[in-house]
Amino acid sequence: MTGPVTQPGGEPPAEAPSAQAPSLGRKVGSAARWSLVNTVVMRLGNFVTGIVLARFFLGPEAWGVYGIAQTVLLVLLSANELGVSLAIVRWEGDPRRFAPTVLTLSAASSCLLYAVIFAAAPAVARVLGSPEASGVLRVMCVCVVLDGLSQVPAGFLTREFAQGRRMAIDALNFVLSTAVTLLLAVQGWGAMSFAWGSVAGNVAALIGCCLAAPGTLRFGWDREQARALLRFGLPLAGASMLALGVVNVDTMVVGSSLDQLALGFYVLAFNISGWPVRIISEAARRVSFAGFSRLAETPGALAGGFGRALGVVMTGTVPLCVLLAVLASPIVELVYGARWLPAAAALPWLMGLGLVRIGCELAYDCLVAIGRRRSLIGVQGLWLVVLVPVLVIGAGAGGIVGVAQGHVLVAGAVVVPVFLLALHRGGIGLGSIARACAWPFLGGAVMAAVLLGLERLLGDGVLALLATAIAGTLGYVLCVLPSRSFLRGSAPAAAPAAAKASSTVPARG
C-alpha cells in the first residue's frame, strides 16, 4: 500500500486497529445480534409457510417446478449487478461519490439479464426437464431487476452495520410475499404463487431499502469509476456465479435426468438441508464481509477474527445438522406428512453438504475481503467442473440419494482441502481452523451417538423425538462448554487432544 485511496478502485489503506477496534467490535457485535435475530425469525416464518404449502396445497410436482425456477433465479442473482455493489461495502472513502455509477451499472446489467432470460425461458425450462416452468421463470426473474435496483441502498446499510433497519425491511418483504403466496396457492395457482409472492416481496424490500438509506437511489455515470468498478466486480461476479452454480447444478441434473416427482422430493430435501445454512450462515455473512474487510490489512487480527467467526458458526450449526441427519425420516414424516418420506433418504447426505457449505461461505467472504479473487474463481471453477460428472453418475446409479452422495464426496475430498490451502496462503493457518472446529465436531459425534441410541430405545413418536432431541442437544452443549471463552473472544480455544494430534487434517467446512 502506498497511501490512502483517493480514487475508487484502489485497495483500502491499512487501518489503525488500536484506535478502531473497540468501535468496530461494538458495531460488528450489535449487527451480528440483529442479523441473527432477523434471520431466525424470517426463516422460522418461511419454514412454517413451507409446511402449510407442502401439507395442504402443493404436491411434489409443483415443488419441482418451483425448484427449477428458483435455481435459475439464484444463478442470475449471483451476477445481476456484475459484482460492483460490493464496492459500496469494501472501498474506502465516501461511497456516495461512486454510488450513482454503481447503480447505473447494476440496473443496466439486471435489465439485460432479465431480457435474456425472458426470451430463453421456454428453452431453458425444456432443457431442465420442466417445460411448464417457463411462465413461472419469466415472472420470478423480475426479481433480478428489483434486486439490481436495491443493491446500492442495501450496500449502504451493510457498510453501516445497520442490521436493525435490515430486519424491518426483511419483515416487510416476508409479510407481503407470504401473504401473496398463500392467497394464490389457496386459489389453485400452484408454483406460480411462489413467483408472484417473490415479486411482491422484492418490491417491498426495494421500497424499504430506499426509505432506510435515503438519497442512495441516484443514477449517474463516471467512465473512470465504471472501469475501476468493473475491474473490481467482474472477478467477484464470476466467482459468485460459479458458487451458485455449484449449489444449484444438482437441481438441474435431477430435473434433466430423473422425473418431476423425484425433482420435487429432492428440492424439499435440499431446502431442509439449507435450514442451518440460512439461519446461521446468512446471519454471519451479513456482517462477516464488512468485518473481514476492516481487518484485511492486519493479518494477525484477520486470522484471529476468522477463527473465532468459524468457531461461532460451527458451534451453532453442527447440532442442527446432526439432528436433521440422524432423525431425517421421523422429522420429515412429522413435519410434512408421509407422502414426502422419499425426500428423507437424501437428507442425511445433504446435511453433511450443508455443513461444508457454511464453512466454505465464510471462507469465501474472507478471501474476497483480502483481495484473493483469482483464488476464489479457481476454487469455484474446480468445484463445478468436478461436480457435474459426479452428479450425473450419481443420478444414474442411485437417484436423488446418489446425487446427494456425489455432492458430499466432491465437497469433502476436493473442495475443503483446496479452500484450506487458499486460506493458508492468505495468512490463516490450518491450526487455527482446526481449533475452531474441534469442539463442535467432537460434540457432534457425541450428539449423533446419543440420538441413535435413544431413537432405537424410545421410538419415533412425537414425545419420544422431543426427548431424544433434548438429550442429544444436552450432550452436545456439555461437549462444547470448554470453548466458550474462545467463542467470546477472551481466550484461545483449547482443542481436544484428538484435534491437536490431527491439526493438519482438513476439517469439514
Side-chain angles (χ1 to χ4, degrees):
M1 300 300 129
T2 59
V5 172
T6 58
Q7 297 294 332
E11 291 297 323
E15 299 181 7
S18 60
Q20 297 188 9
S23 175
L24 177 62
R26 285 193 296 270
K27 286 183 177 179
V28 172
S30 175
R33 286 190 292 273
W34 275 110
S35 183
L36 180 59
V37 172
N38 178 17
T39 306
V40 170
V41 171
M42 293 304 107
R43 292 310 171 190
L44 282 175
N46 284 325
F47 167 63
V48 173
T49 303
I51 293 173
V52 171
L53 290 171
R55 288 190 73 98
F56 303 111
F57 301 112
L58 302 177
E61 293 85 355
W63 276 98
V65 172
Y66 163 69
I68 288 295
Q70 181 74 359
T71 296
V72 176
L73 173 61
L74 289 174
V75 172
L76 292 179
L77 288 177
S78 67
N80 70 320
E81 35 72 63
L82 304 179
V84 297
S85 66
L86 285 177
I88 300 293
V89 181
R90 181 71 173 90
W91 283 359
E92 291 296 310
D94 183 5
R96 293 181 184 270
R97 290 187 299 112
F98 52 87
T101 304
V102 173
L103 182 60
T104 301
L105 285 171
S106 178
S109 61
S110 300
C111 290
L112 180 61
L113 270 178
Y114 180 72
V116 171
I117 196 61
F118 186 90
V124 171
R126 281 196 304 272
V127 169
L128 297 179
S130 297
E132 58 272 39
S134 175
V136 177
L137 193 57
R138 283 174 165 169
V139 173
M140 186 173 284
C141 285
V142 172
C143 296
V144 171
V145 178
L146 298 171
D147 181 75
L149 292 172
S150 68
Q151 286 297 312
V152 168
F156 274 88
L157 296 178
T158 300
R159 182 185 179 96
E160 297 166 6
F161 298 99
Q163 292 303 316
R165 281 176 277 173
R166 282 297 298 267
M167 182 173 179
I169 293 168
D170 288 346
L172 179 64
N173 182 337
F174 168 75
V175 169
L176 189 56
S177 64
T178 300
V180 172
T181 299
L182 289 174
L183 178 63
L184 296 180
V186 169
Q187 295 179 355
W189 285 53
M192 188 63 81
S193 59
F194 285 111
W196 283 113
S198 297
V199 171
N202 274 267
V203 169
L206 173 59
I207 295 172
C209 283
C210 294
L211 294 176
T216 57
L217 199 68
R218 293 190 303 109
F219 291 92
W221 185 256
D222 182 293
R223 183 179 299 177
E224 292 304 316
Q225 289 178 354
R227 289 175 180 172
L229 285 165
L230 290 173
R231 283 196 301 270
F232 171 83
L234 285 176
L236 297 180
S240 182
M241 181 171 283
L242 288 172
L244 265 295
V246 164
V247 174
N248 292 284
V249 70
D250 52 354
T251 303
M252 301 179 185
V253 170
V254 173
S256 58
S257 302
L258 305 174
D259 56 37
Q260 272 198 345
L261 194 63
L263 177 61
F265 291 135
Y266 185 83
V267 169
L268 183 77
F270 194 88
N271 286 345
I272 295 173
S273 74
W275 290 348
V277 179
R278 290 189 290 267
I279 291 174
I280 305 296
S281 184
E282 236 177 68
R285 295 191 79 188
R286 288 192 172 184
V287 298
S288 63
F289 177 69
F292 292 150
S293 295
R294 302 297 195 277
L295 301 174
E297 299 301 321
T298 52
L302 178 67
F306 178 81
R308 212 158 34 245
L310 182 62
V312 170
V313 167
M314 284 296 165
T315 300
T317 304
V318 166
L320 296 174
C321 290
V322 171
L323 185 67
L324 290 170
V326 175
L327 303 179
S329 292
I331 287 176
V332 169
E333 183 174 11
L334 175 66
V335 173
Y336 292 98
R339 68 170 173 168
W340 291 97
L341 266 176
L347 187 54
W349 299 97
L350 291 174
M351 295 316 306
L353 174 66
L355 192 60
V356 173
R357 283 175 58 198
I358 289 171
C360 289
E361 286 176 358
L362 195 67
Y364 179 99
D365 288 345
C366 183
L367 292 172
V368 171
I370 62 177
R372 292 189 170 267
R373 297 186 289 276
R374 291 183 180 178
S375 297
L376 283 175
I377 293 176
V379 172
Q380 301 294 350
L382 175 65
W383 195 347
L384 189 59
V385 167
V386 175
L387 184 62
V388 172
V390 172
L391 293 184
V392 172
I393 294 171
I400 63 172
V401 176
V403 171
Q405 291 171 336
H407 244 317
V408 175
L409 175 64
V410 173
V414 178
V415 180
V416 169
V418 175
F419 258 117
L420 290 174
L421 178 61
L423 288 171
H424 179 71
R425 289 178 175 174
I428 299 172
L430 302 183
S432 63
I433 296 174
R435 285 192 295 272
C437 296
W439 288 112
F441 284 11
L442 175 64
V446 171
M447 183 179 181
V450 172
L451 293 176
L452 287 170
L454 289 180
E455 186 190 14
R456 293 192 183 98
L457 181 65
L458 301 178
D460 57 2
V462 175
L463 292 179
L465 281 177
L466 182 61
T468 300
I470 291 173
T473 303
L474 179 61
Y476 177 81
V477 170
L478 292 175
C479 286
V480 299
L481 276 178
S483 66
R484 61 189 183 279
S485 296
F486 168 70
L487 299 178
R488 289 197 300 263
S490 57
K500 289 181 179 179
S502 60
S503 60
T504 58
V505 178
R508 286 182 72 87

